[in-house]
Amino acid sequence: MDHGNGVLALEAVDVGLSHLPDSYRLQVQKGAVLDKLNRFHEAEETLRKASELQQDNSAALISLGIVQAHAGKFEDAAGTLEAAISKSPGNYYAHYFLGNTLLQLDPQRDPELITKAEDAYQQSIRLNPSFADAYFQLAQLYLQKDPKLAEKNLVECLRRDPSHPSAEYVLAQLYLKTGRPSEAQKMLERFKSHKKKATEEEKIPGVEPVPK
């Protein structure tokens, strides 16, 4: 899975399940592999089966909610993630992904969804203050109604992840909008540098981080 070979990963997990068919962890892993292969219906079925194998099934429910969102079933995904959070309220990623899912519904029809998404991101940050993406998503929500708060969250996102390209680009645009062209230029140069580096690394197969 980590090297992008989903087919081989699926073969491996199926071998494991042939020996341990009721393994909760292997069933959850199989669901994740099927999701990566865009076999969403099979992934859902596998994760539902996993969720019935043990009482503490929050990992299966979170994975199921993510699969449902990837399949475009956003209402189902939101319900599943809320159920997972009720069982495991301390999982920061469940809150984060719930925020993403709520924004895929219809915030214009139901503005309360934005408030709920904001609460979900804030809860994710409370549980894991180092998770940069949650700050970025909060900033996206604040861009129109409170640019200063948006900037604060973008800066914090980059403090947690100095090479977050989306945050760099959005912050550069915000600097331009608020009349700070020199700061915007510096941030754009930083964004282009990180983007170029990422592109070069993608061209090299099998790049692994050097152990410290």
Tab-separated table of all heavy atoms in Angstrom, residues 93-156:
chain	number	residue	atom	x	y	z
A	93	TYR	N	-8.868	12.672	13.616
A	93	TYR	CA	-9.078	12.587	12.173
A	93	TYR	C	-10.547	12.404	11.833
A	93	TYR	O	-11.014	12.885	10.802
A	93	TYR	CB	-8.249	11.446	11.573
A	93	TYR	CG	-8.156	11.553	10.065
A	93	TYR	CD1	-7.290	12.478	9.478
A	93	TYR	CD2	-8.961	10.776	9.239
A	93	TYR	CE1	-7.220	12.614	8.099
A	93	TYR	CE2	-8.888	10.910	7.852
A	93	TYR	CZ	-8.021	11.815	7.295
A	93	TYR	OH	-7.967	11.959	5.920
A	94	ALA	N	-11.287	11.714	12.707
A	94	ALA	CA	-12.731	11.556	12.475
A	94	ALA	C	-13.416	12.912	12.468
A	94	ALA	O	-14.282	13.187	11.625
A	94	ALA	CB	-13.334	10.644	13.535
A	95	HIS	N	-13.047	13.778	13.408
A	95	HIS	CA	-13.622	15.124	13.453
A	95	HIS	C	-13.241	15.907	12.194
A	95	HIS	O	-14.092	16.587	11.592
A	95	HIS	CB	-13.125	15.867	14.697
A	95	HIS	CG	-13.687	15.350	15.973
A	95	HIS	ND1	-14.923	15.710	16.447
A	95	HIS	CD2	-13.172	14.481	16.885
A	95	HIS	CE1	-15.158	15.109	17.604
A	95	HIS	NE2	-14.112	14.356	17.886
A	96	TYR	N	-11.972	15.817	11.814
A	96	TYR	CA	-11.498	16.534	10.629
A	96	TYR	C	-12.251	16.083	9.378
A	96	TYR	O	-12.735	16.920	8.599
A	96	TYR	CB	-10.001	16.294	10.458
A	96	TYR	CG	-9.459	16.749	9.122
A	96	TYR	CD1	-9.226	18.103	8.871
A	96	TYR	CD2	-9.180	15.835	8.113
A	96	TYR	CE1	-8.731	18.525	7.650
A	96	TYR	CE2	-8.683	16.251	6.890
A	96	TYR	CZ	-8.460	17.596	6.662
A	96	TYR	OH	-7.981	18.013	5.444
A	97	PHE	N	-12.363	14.781	9.185
A	97	PHE	CA	-13.006	14.290	7.969
A	97	PHE	C	-14.508	14.565	7.997
A	97	PHE	O	-15.123	14.782	6.950
A	97	PHE	CB	-12.734	12.799	7.764
A	97	PHE	CG	-12.796	12.393	6.319
A	97	PHE	CD1	-11.674	12.492	5.507
A	97	PHE	CD2	-13.983	11.947	5.754
A	97	PHE	CE1	-11.735	12.154	4.162
A	97	PHE	CE2	-14.049	11.603	4.411
A	97	PHE	CZ	-12.923	11.707	3.614
A	98	LEU	N	-15.102	14.597	9.188
A	98	LEU	CA	-16.510	14.988	9.291
A	98	LEU	C	-16.683	16.422	8.797
A	98	LEU	O	-17.637	16.724	8.063
A	98	LEU	CB	-16.995	14.867	10.732
A	98	LEU	CG	-18.423	15.359	10.991
A	98	LEU	CD1	-19.440	14.564	10.165
A	98	LEU	CD2	-18.770	15.286	12.480
A	99	GLY	N	-15.771	17.306	9.181
A	99	GLY	CA	-15.840	18.686	8.692
A	99	GLY	C	-15.799	18.742	7.181
A	99	GLY	O	-16.601	19.433	6.551
A	100	ASN	N	-14.869	17.993	6.582
A	100	ASN	CA	-14.777	17.953	5.118
A	100	ASN	C	-16.070	17.447	4.496
A	100	ASN	O	-16.544	17.970	3.476
A	100	ASN	CB	-13.630	17.033	4.685
A	100	ASN	CG	-12.266	17.603	5.000
A	100	ASN	OD1	-12.158	18.733	5.473
A	100	ASN	ND2	-11.228	16.833	4.760
A	101	THR	N	-16.641	16.418	5.100
A	101	THR	CA	-17.851	15.795	4.553
A	101	THR	C	-19.048	16.728	4.647
A	101	THR	O	-19.834	16.841	3.699
A	101	THR	CB	-18.142	14.483	5.307
A	101	THR	OG1	-17.011	13.612	5.195
A	101	THR	CG2	-19.363	13.785	4.739
A	102	LEU	N	-19.188	17.418	5.770
A	102	LEU	CA	-20.318	18.344	5.939
A	102	LEU	C	-20.294	19.437	4.873
A	102	LEU	O	-21.345	19.855	4.376
A	102	LEU	CB	-20.275	18.968	7.340
A	102	LEU	CG	-20.572	18.018	8.508
A	102	LEU	CD1	-20.253	18.686	9.828
A	102	LEU	CD2	-22.036	17.574	8.476
A	103	LEU	N	-19.108	19.875	4.501
A	103	LEU	CA	-18.998	20.931	3.489
A	103	LEU	C	-19.300	20.425	2.082
A	103	LEU	O	-19.469	21.223	1.162
A	103	LEU	CB	-17.599	21.552	3.528
A	103	LEU	CG	-17.271	22.318	4.813
A	103	LEU	CD1	-15.839	22.838	4.779
A	103	LEU	CD2	-18.247	23.469	5.020
A	104	GLN	N	-19.370	19.108	1.921
A	104	GLN	CA	-19.728	18.533	0.627
A	104	GLN	C	-21.241	18.387	0.464
A	104	GLN	O	-21.712	18.009	-0.603
A	104	GLN	CB	-19.069	17.152	0.454
A	104	GLN	CG	-17.567	17.191	0.363
A	104	GLN	CD	-17.083	17.954	-0.851
A	104	GLN	OE1	-17.645	17.866	-1.937
A	104	GLN	NE2	-16.026	18.729	-0.672
A	105	LEU	N	-21.977	18.680	1.511
A	105	LEU	CA	-23.436	18.622	1.417
A	105	LEU	C	-23.921	19.897	0.724
A	105	LEU	O	-23.510	20.180	-0.377
A	105	LEU	CB	-24.038	18.415	2.809
A	105	LEU	CG	-23.661	17.068	3.453
A	105	LEU	CD1	-24.155	16.991	4.902
A	105	LEU	CD2	-24.235	15.907	2.638
A	106	ASP	N	-24.749	20.716	1.363
A	106	ASP	CA	-25.232	21.936	0.698
A	106	ASP	C	-25.235	23.092	1.686
A	106	ASP	O	-26.290	23.479	2.202
A	106	ASP	CB	-26.641	21.700	0.132
A	106	ASP	CG	-27.078	22.808	-0.816
A	106	ASP	OD1	-26.353	23.819	-0.916
A	106	ASP	OD2	-28.130	22.660	-1.460
A	107	PRO	N	-24.048	23.668	1.967
A	107	PRO	CA	-23.971	24.754	2.947
A	107	PRO	C	-24.816	25.976	2.584
A	107	PRO	O	-25.255	26.704	3.472
A	107	PRO	CB	-22.473	25.107	2.958
A	107	PRO	CG	-21.788	23.891	2.441
A	107	PRO	CD	-22.732	23.294	1.445
A	108	GLN	N	-25.047	26.210	1.278
A	108	GLN	CA	-25.861	27.363	0.895
A	108	GLN	C	-27.322	27.152	1.294
A	108	GLN	O	-28.013	28.088	1.675
A	108	GLN	CB	-25.743	27.599	-0.608
A	108	GLN	CG	-24.352	28.089	-1.017
A	108	GLN	CD	-24.294	28.465	-2.485
A	108	GLN	OE1	-25.116	28.020	-3.283
A	108	GLN	NE2	-23.308	29.282	-2.844
A	109	ARG	N	-27.763	25.914	1.206
A	109	ARG	CA	-29.137	25.607	1.607
A	109	ARG	C	-29.261	25.539	3.119
A	109	ARG	O	-30.276	25.935	3.687
A	109	ARG	CB	-29.576	24.273	0.985
A	109	ARG	CG	-30.994	23.838	1.357
A	109	ARG	CD	-31.371	22.536	0.641
A	109	ARG	NE	-30.434	21.465	0.950
A	109	ARG	CZ	-30.507	20.709	2.036
A	109	ARG	NH1	-31.445	20.930	2.949
A	109	ARG	NH2	-29.632	19.743	2.238
A	110	ASP	N	-28.228	25.055	3.762
A	110	ASP	CA	-28.240	24.888	5.214
A	110	ASP	C	-26.951	25.480	5.805
A	110	ASP	O	-25.962	24.778	5.975
A	110	ASP	CB	-28.363	23.400	5.567
A	110	ASP	CG	-28.485	23.167	7.069
A	110	ASP	OD1	-28.517	24.154	7.825
A	110	ASP	OD2	-28.541	21.992	7.477
A	111	PRO	N	-26.967	26.782	6.129
A	111	PRO	CA	-25.754	27.446	6.655
A	111	PRO	C	-25.239	26.817	7.943
A	111	PRO	O	-24.063	26.991	8.284
A	111	PRO	CB	-26.226	28.885	6.900
A	111	PRO	CG	-27.424	29.055	6.020
A	111	PRO	CD	-28.082	27.717	5.963
A	112	GLU	N	-26.089	26.093	8.647
A	112	GLU	CA	-25.661	25.458	9.894
A	112	GLU	C	-24.555	24.430	9.650
A	112	GLU	O	-23.758	24.133	10.539
A	112	GLU	CB	-26.848	24.786	10.583
A	112	GLU	CG	-26.529	24.292	11.991
A	112	GLU	CD	-27.725	23.641	12.660
A	112	GLU	OE1	-28.857	23.775	12.155
A	112	GLU	OE2	-27.509	22.986	13.702
A	113	LEU	N	-24.505	23.909	8.413
A	113	LEU	CA	-23.460	22.947	8.083
A	113	LEU	C	-22.078	23.567	8.217
A	113	LEU	O	-21.127	22.901	8.619
A	113	LEU	CB	-23.662	22.422	6.657
A	113	LEU	CG	-24.869	21.503	6.424
A	113	LEU	CD1	-25.060	21.259	4.934
A	113	LEU	CD2	-24.691	20.194	7.175
A	114	ILE	N	-21.972	24.850	7.869
A	114	ILE	CA	-20.681	25.536	7.989
A	114	ILE	C	-20.273	25.639	9.449
A	114	ILE	O	-19.115	25.412	9.812
A	114	ILE	CB	-20.750	26.930	7.335
A	114	ILE	CG1	-20.989	26.782	5.833
A	114	ILE	CG2	-19.472	27.716	7.606
A	114	ILE	CD1	-21.135	28.091	5.099
A	115	THR	N	-21.247	25.972	10.310
A	115	THR	CA	-20.968	26.057	11.746
A	115	THR	C	-20.537	24.709	12.293
A	115	THR	O	-19.589	24.610	13.085
A	115	THR	CB	-22.212	26.550	12.502
A	115	THR	OG1	-22.604	27.835	11.988
A	115	THR	CG2	-21.937	26.678	13.989
A	116	LYS	N	-21.227	23.646	11.870
A	116	LYS	CA	-20.876	22.300	12.323
A	116	LYS	C	-19.489	21.899	11.832
A	116	LYS	O	-18.710	21.281	12.561
A	116	LYS	CB	-21.917	21.293	11.833
A	116	LYS	CG	-23.269	21.397	12.529
A	116	LYS	CD	-24.228	20.336	11.990
A	116	LYS	CE	-25.560	20.382	12.704
A	116	LYS	NZ	-26.514	19.368	12.176
A	117	ALA	N	-19.171	22.256	10.587
A	117	ALA	CA	-17.848	21.939	10.044
A	117	ALA	C	-16.768	22.698	10.811
A	117	ALA	O	-15.703	22.144	11.134
A	117	ALA	CB	-17.785	22.285	8.562
A	118	GLU	N	-17.034	23.968	11.105
A	118	GLU	CA	-16.087	24.775	11.883
A	118	GLU	C	-15.837	24.139	13.246
A	118	GLU	O	-14.689	24.019	13.687
A	118	GLU	CB	-16.648	26.188	12.055
A	118	GLU	CG	-15.741	27.142	12.793
A	118	GLU	CD	-16.355	28.530	12.923
A	118	GLU	OE1	-17.302	28.846	12.173
A	118	GLU	OE2	-15.887	29.281	13.787
A	119	ASP	N	-16.904	23.708	13.895
A	119	ASP	CA	-16.771	23.050	15.202
A	119	ASP	C	-15.953	21.766	15.084
A	119	ASP	O	-15.139	21.455	15.960
A	119	ASP	CB	-18.159	22.723	15.775
A	119	ASP	CG	-18.932	23.967	16.201
A	119	ASP	OD1	-18.300	25.031	16.364
A	119	ASP	OD2	-20.167	23.866	16.370
A	120	ALA	N	-16.179	21.024	13.990
A	120	ALA	CA	-15.459	19.762	13.794
A	120	ALA	C	-13.962	20.019	13.632
A	120	ALA	O	-13.128	19.303	14.222
A	120	ALA	CB	-16.011	19.026	12.577
A	121	TYR	N	-13.598	21.034	12.854
A	121	TYR	CA	-12.175	21.354	12.665
A	121	TYR	C	-11.541	21.832	13.978
A	121	TYR	O	-10.408	21.462	14.302
A	121	TYR	CB	-12.005	22.422	11.597
A	121	TYR	CG	-12.368	21.970	10.203
A	121	TYR	CD1	-13.132	22.771	9.364
A	121	TYR	CD2	-11.938	20.735	9.716
A	121	TYR	CE1	-13.465	22.362	8.080
A	121	TYR	CE2	-12.263	20.317	8.441
A	121	TYR	CZ	-13.028	21.136	7.624
A	121	TYR	OH	-13.352	20.712	6.348
A	122	GLN	N	-12.270	22.640	14.723
A	122	GLN	CA	-11.741	23.134	15.994
A	122	GLN	C	-11.529	21.986	16.980
A	122	GLN	O	-10.547	21.968	17.722
A	122	GLN	CB	-12.684	24.188	16.575
A	122	GLN	CG	-12.651	25.499	15.815
A	122	GLN	CD	-13.688	26.486	16.302
A	122	GLN	OE1	-14.669	26.113	16.959
A	122	GLN	NE2	-13.494	27.761	15.984
A	123	GLN	N	-12.456	21.029	16.944
A	123	GLN	CA	-12.309	19.869	17.812
A	123	GLN	C	-11.106	19.031	17.397
A	123	GLN	O	-10.369	18.513	18.233
A	123	GLN	CB	-13.586	19.023	17.759
A	123	GLN	CG	-13.641	17.868	18.737
A	123	GLN	CD	-13.836	18.315	20.175
A	123	GLN	OE1	-13.684	19.484	20.504
A	123	GLN	NE2	-14.146	17.380	21.052
A	124	SER	N	-10.897	18.898	16.090
A	124	SER	CA	-9.743	18.162	15.582
A	124	SER	C	-8.450	18.806	16.064
A	124	SER	O	-7.518	18.119	16.496
A	124	SER	CB	-9.784	18.121	14.050
A	124	SER	OG	-8.663	17.451	13.528
A	125	ILE	N	-8.396	20.138	16.016
A	125	ILE	CA	-7.208	20.867	16.465
A	125	ILE	C	-7.018	20.713	17.964
A	125	ILE	O	-5.891	20.546	18.454
A	125	ILE	CB	-7.319	22.350	16.078
A	125	ILE	CG1	-7.160	22.510	14.560
A	125	ILE	CG2	-6.292	23.198	16.826
A	125	ILE	CD1	-7.489	23.888	14.052
A	126	ARG	N	-8.112	20.756	18.712
A	126	ARG	CA	-8.007	20.593	20.165
A	126	ARG	C	-7.400	19.233	20.505
A	126	ARG	O	-6.577	19.112	21.416
A	126	ARG	CB	-9.395	20.716	20.808
A	126	ARG	CG	-9.363	20.710	22.335
A	126	ARG	CD	-10.756	20.728	22.922
A	126	ARG	NE	-11.428	19.449	22.716
A	126	ARG	CZ	-11.217	18.351	23.461
A	126	ARG	NH1	-10.312	18.384	24.432
A	126	ARG	NH2	-11.880	17.246	23.226
A	127	LEU	N	-7.794	18.206	19.746
A	127	LEU	CA	-7.308	16.851	20.006
A	127	LEU	C	-5.891	16.626	19.486
A	127	LEU	O	-5.144	15.822	20.030
A	127	LEU	CB	-8.262	15.830	19.381
A	127	LEU	CG	-9.655	15.761	20.013
A	127	LEU	CD1	-10.606	14.974	19.123
A	127	LEU	CD2	-9.573	15.125	21.397
A	128	ASN	N	-5.546	17.329	18.406
A	128	ASN	CA	-4.200	17.184	17.829
A	128	ASN	C	-3.741	18.534	17.287
A	128	ASN	O	-3.892	18.827	16.101
A	128	ASN	CB	-4.212	16.140	16.711
A	128	ASN	CG	-2.817	15.900	16.142
A	128	ASN	OD1	-1.842	16.476	16.609
A	128	ASN	ND2	-2.722	15.056	15.127
A	129	PRO	N	-3.169	19.372	18.142
A	129	PRO	CA	-2.771	20.723	17.726
A	129	PRO	C	-1.721	20.755	16.617
A	129	PRO	O	-1.516	21.798	16.007
A	129	PRO	CB	-2.205	21.330	19.022
A	129	PRO	CG	-2.794	20.522	20.122
A	129	PRO	CD	-2.914	19.135	19.570
A	130	SER	N	-1.064	19.650	16.346
A	130	SER	CA	-0.018	19.645	15.317
A	130	SER	C	-0.547	19.297	13.930
A	130	SER	O	0.221	19.294	12.963
A	130	SER	CB	1.083	18.647	15.696
A	130	SER	OG	0.583	17.320	15.683
A	131	PHE	N	-1.858	19.040	13.809
A	131	PHE	CA	-2.426	18.612	12.531
A	131	PHE	C	-2.693	19.828	11.644
A	131	PHE	O	-3.691	20.528	11.788
A	131	PHE	CB	-3.704	17.817	12.777
A	131	PHE	CG	-4.298	17.203	11.533
A	131	PHE	CD1	-3.509	16.514	10.628
A	131	PHE	CD2	-5.649	17.309	11.277
A	131	PHE	CE1	-4.057	15.943	9.489
A	131	PHE	CE2	-6.208	16.747	10.143
A	131	PHE	CZ	-5.413	16.063	9.249
A	132	ALA	N	-1.797	20.065	10.702
A	132	ALA	CA	-1.810	21.300	9.909
A	132	ALA	C	-3.061	21.449	9.048
A	132	ALA	O	-3.581	22.560	8.885
A	132	ALA	CB	-0.561	21.348	9.026
A	133	ASP	N	-3.543	20.367	8.466
A	133	ASP	CA	-4.665	20.469	7.526
A	133	ASP	C	-5.921	21.048	8.160
A	133	ASP	O	-6.715	21.707	7.486
A	133	ASP	CB	-4.984	19.099	6.922
A	133	ASP	CG	-3.965	18.685	5.874
A	133	ASP	OD1	-3.213	19.556	5.400
A	133	ASP	OD2	-3.922	17.489	5.530
A	134	ALA	N	-6.128	20.800	9.442
A	134	ALA	CA	-7.313	21.337	10.110
A	134	ALA	C	-7.260	22.867	10.168
A	134	ALA	O	-8.274	23.552	9.979
A	134	ALA	CB	-7.448	20.747	11.510
A	135	TYR	N	-6.069	23.418	10.411
A	135	TYR	CA	-5.916	24.886	10.395
A	135	TYR	C	-6.206	25.430	8.996
A	135	TYR	O	-6.844	26.483	8.851
A	135	TYR	CB	-4.491	25.280	10.812
A	135	TYR	CG	-4.122	24.932	12.224
A	135	TYR	CD1	-3.385	23.798	12.504
A	135	TYR	CD2	-4.496	25.753	13.287
A	135	TYR	CE1	-3.022	23.467	13.803
A	135	TYR	CE2	-4.145	25.442	14.589
A	135	TYR	CZ	-3.407	24.297	14.840
A	135	TYR	OH	-3.061	23.974	16.132
A	136	PHE	N	-5.744	24.715	7.980
A	136	PHE	CA	-5.967	25.178	6.607
A	136	PHE	C	-7.457	25.205	6.281
A	136	PHE	O	-7.954	26.173	5.701
A	136	PHE	CB	-5.230	24.282	5.614
A	136	PHE	CG	-5.496	24.646	4.183
A	136	PHE	CD1	-4.942	25.790	3.639
A	136	PHE	CD2	-6.328	23.862	3.390
A	136	PHE	CE1	-5.196	26.155	2.323
A	136	PHE	CE2	-6.594	24.222	2.069
A	136	PHE	CZ	-6.022	25.370	1.541
A	137	GLN	N	-8.170	24.156	6.648
A	137	GLN	CA	-9.606	24.110	6.349
A	137	GLN	C	-10.368	25.186	7.114
A	137	GLN	O	-11.302	25.792	6.580
A	137	GLN	CB	-10.164	22.724	6.676
A	137	GLN	CG	-9.611	21.603	5.813
A	137	GLN	CD	-9.988	21.746	4.346
A	137	GLN	OE1	-10.865	22.514	3.974
A	137	GLN	NE2	-9.300	21.014	3.481
A	138	LEU	N	-9.968	25.434	8.345
A	138	LEU	CA	-10.589	26.532	9.105
A	138	LEU	C	-10.344	27.864	8.408
A	138	LEU	O	-11.247	28.703	8.289
A	138	LEU	CB	-10.005	26.584	10.519
A	138	LEU	CG	-10.783	25.909	11.641
A	138	LEU	CD1	-10.080	26.140	12.968
A	138	LEU	CD2	-12.216	26.408	11.722
A	139	ALA	N	-9.128	28.065	7.945
A	139	ALA	CA	-8.799	29.307	7.240
A	139	ALA	C	-9.681	29.485	6.012
A	139	ALA	O	-10.141	30.601	5.719
A	139	ALA	CB	-7.324	29.305	6.841
A	140	GLN	N	-9.926	28.394	5.295
A	140	GLN	CA	-10.787	28.462	4.113
A	140	GLN	C	-12.185	28.956	4.483
A	140	GLN	O	-12.793	29.744	3.751
A	140	GLN	CB	-10.889	27.074	3.464
A	140	GLN	CG	-9.587	26.576	2.863
A	140	GLN	CD	-9.308	27.185	1.492
A	140	GLN	OE1	-8.849	28.320	1.379
A	140	GLN	NE2	-9.614	26.432	0.458
A	141	LEU	N	-12.681	28.508	5.630
A	141	LEU	CA	-14.007	28.945	6.083
A	141	LEU	C	-14.017	30.425	6.458
A	141	LEU	O	-15.030	31.105	6.305
A	141	LEU	CB	-14.453	28.114	7.285
A	141	LEU	CG	-14.803	26.649	7.030
A	141	LEU	CD1	-15.206	25.968	8.337
A	141	LEU	CD2	-15.925	26.526	6.016
A	142	TYR	N	-12.884	30.930	6.960
A	142	TYR	CA	-12.822	32.303	7.461
A	142	TYR	C	-12.455	33.331	6.393
A	142	TYR	O	-12.537	34.536	6.660
A	142	TYR	CB	-11.794	32.402	8.594
A	142	TYR	CG	-12.146	31.638	9.847
A	142	TYR	CD1	-11.159	30.986	10.581
A	142	TYR	CD2	-13.465	31.572	10.307
A	142	TYR	CE1	-11.472	30.282	11.738
A	142	TYR	CE2	-13.778	30.869	11.459
A	142	TYR	CZ	-12.780	30.223	12.164
A	142	TYR	OH	-13.089	29.539	13.307
A	143	LEU	N	-12.051	32.902	5.213
A	143	LEU	CA	-11.509	33.824	4.212
A	143	LEU	C	-12.443	34.994	3.921
A	143	LEU	O	-11.991	36.138	3.801
A	143	LEU	CB	-11.197	33.070	2.907
A	143	LEU	CG	-9.839	32.378	2.857
A	143	LEU	CD1	-9.710	31.550	1.588
A	143	LEU	CD2	-8.694	33.387	2.953
A	144	GLN	N	-13.717	34.728	3.798
A	144	GLN	CA	-14.657	35.785	3.444
A	144	GLN	C	-15.126	36.588	4.658
A	144	GLN	O	-15.165	37.815	4.630
A	144	GLN	CB	-15.874	35.180	2.715
A	144	GLN	CG	-15.525	34.494	1.413
A	144	GLN	CD	-14.867	35.431	0.412
A	144	GLN	OE1	-15.216	36.606	0.298
A	144	GLN	NE2	-13.877	34.907	-0.315
A	145	LYS	N	-15.448	35.869	5.724
A	145	LYS	CA	-16.070	36.562	6.860
A	145	LYS	C	-15.064	37.172	7.838
A	145	LYS	O	-15.397	38.124	8.557
A	145	LYS	CB	-17.020	35.629	7.616
A	145	LYS	CG	-16.356	34.467	8.325
A	145	LYS	CD	-17.395	33.647	9.088
A	145	LYS	CE	-16.748	32.497	9.861
A	145	LYS	NZ	-17.764	31.726	10.620
A	146	ASP	N	-13.848	36.649	7.891
A	146	ASP	CA	-12.867	37.157	8.845
A	146	ASP	C	-11.447	36.895	8.319
A	146	ASP	O	-10.780	35.943	8.738
A	146	ASP	CB	-13.067	36.488	10.210
A	146	ASP	CG	-12.316	37.200	11.322
A	146	ASP	OD1	-11.333	37.910	11.017
A	146	ASP	OD2	-12.709	37.056	12.493
A	147	PRO	N	-10.963	37.747	7.382
A	147	PRO	CA	-9.637	37.532	6.787
A	147	PRO	C	-8.501	37.480	7.801
A	147	PRO	O	-7.532	36.737	7.605
A	147	PRO	CB	-9.477	38.730	5.847
A	147	PRO	CG	-10.874	39.148	5.530
A	147	PRO	CD	-11.672	38.887	6.772
A	148	LYS	N	-8.602	38.235	8.890
A	148	LYS	CA	-7.549	38.216	9.900
A	148	LYS	C	-7.459	36.851	10.577
A	148	LYS	O	-6.370	36.330	10.814
A	148	LYS	CB	-7.791	39.310	10.949
A	148	LYS	CG	-7.521	40.723	10.437
A	148	LYS	CD	-7.651	41.733	11.551
A	148	LYS	CE	-7.318	43.145	11.033
A	148	LYS	NZ	-7.454	44.164	12.112
A	149	LEU	N	-8.621	36.279	10.859
A	149	LEU	CA	-8.644	34.952	11.466
A	149	LEU	C	-8.180	33.899	10.466
A	149	LEU	O	-7.504	32.925	10.834
A	149	LEU	CB	-10.055	34.632	11.967
A	149	LEU	CG	-10.195	33.494	12.982
A	149	LEU	CD1	-9.245	33.673	14.152
A	149	LEU	CD2	-11.645	33.420	13.472
A	150	ALA	N	-8.520	34.110	9.199
A	150	ALA	CA	-8.038	33.210	8.152
A	150	ALA	C	-6.519	33.242	8.091
A	150	ALA	O	-5.855	32.207	8.032
A	150	ALA	CB	-8.636	33.608	6.803
A	151	GLU	N	-5.968	34.455	8.120
A	151	GLU	CA	-4.502	34.597	8.081
A	151	GLU	C	-3.852	33.926	9.287
A	151	GLU	O	-2.833	33.231	9.148
A	151	GLU	CB	-4.127	36.081	8.055
A	151	GLU	CG	-2.633	36.322	8.012
A	151	GLU	CD	-2.284	37.807	7.993
A	151	GLU	OE1	-3.129	38.627	7.586
A	151	GLU	OE2	-1.150	38.135	8.408
A	152	LYS	N	-4.440	34.102	10.449
A	152	LYS	CA	-3.900	33.500	11.662
A	152	LYS	C	-3.818	31.978	11.525
A	152	LYS	O	-2.810	31.360	11.880
A	152	LYS	CB	-4.772	33.874	12.862
A	152	LYS	CG	-4.326	33.256	14.173
A	152	LYS	CD	-5.275	33.640	15.306
A	152	LYS	CE	-4.865	32.942	16.606
A	152	LYS	NZ	-5.797	33.284	17.720
A	153	ASN	N	-4.863	31.375	10.960
A	153	ASN	CA	-4.883	29.918	10.811
A	153	ASN	C	-3.936	29.440	9.707
A	153	ASN	O	-3.344	28.365	9.821
A	153	ASN	CB	-6.308	29.435	10.555
A	153	ASN	CG	-7.113	29.290	11.830
A	153	ASN	OD1	-7.036	28.292	12.523
A	153	ASN	ND2	-7.885	30.324	12.148
A	154	LEU	N	-3.791	30.237	8.658
A	154	LEU	CA	-2.838	29.871	7.607
A	154	LEU	C	-1.398	29.926	8.124
A	154	LEU	O	-0.583	29.045	7.829
A	154	LEU	CB	-3.008	30.805	6.407
A	154	LEU	CG	-4.279	30.604	5.582
A	154	LEU	CD1	-4.468	31.763	4.604
A	154	LEU	CD2	-4.230	29.279	4.825
A	155	VAL	N	-1.108	30.942	8.895
A	155	VAL	CA	0.229	31.061	9.480
A	155	VAL	C	0.495	29.893	10.426
A	155	VAL	O	1.587	29.303	10.436
A	155	VAL	CB	0.378	32.414	10.221
A	155	VAL	CG1	1.658	32.439	11.058
A	155	VAL	CG2	0.374	33.563	9.221
A	156	GLU	N	-0.521	29.537	11.195
A	156	GLU	CA	-0.368	28.415	12.125
A	156	GLU	C	-0.216	27.097	11.369
A	156	GLU	O	0.569	26.226	11.764
A	156	GLU	CB	-1.563	28.340	13.073
A	156	GLU	CG	-1.428	27.321	14.185
A	156	GLU	CD	-0.270	27.620	15.132
A	156	GLU	OE1	0.115	28.795	15.266
A	156	GLU	OE2	0.262	26.660	15.734
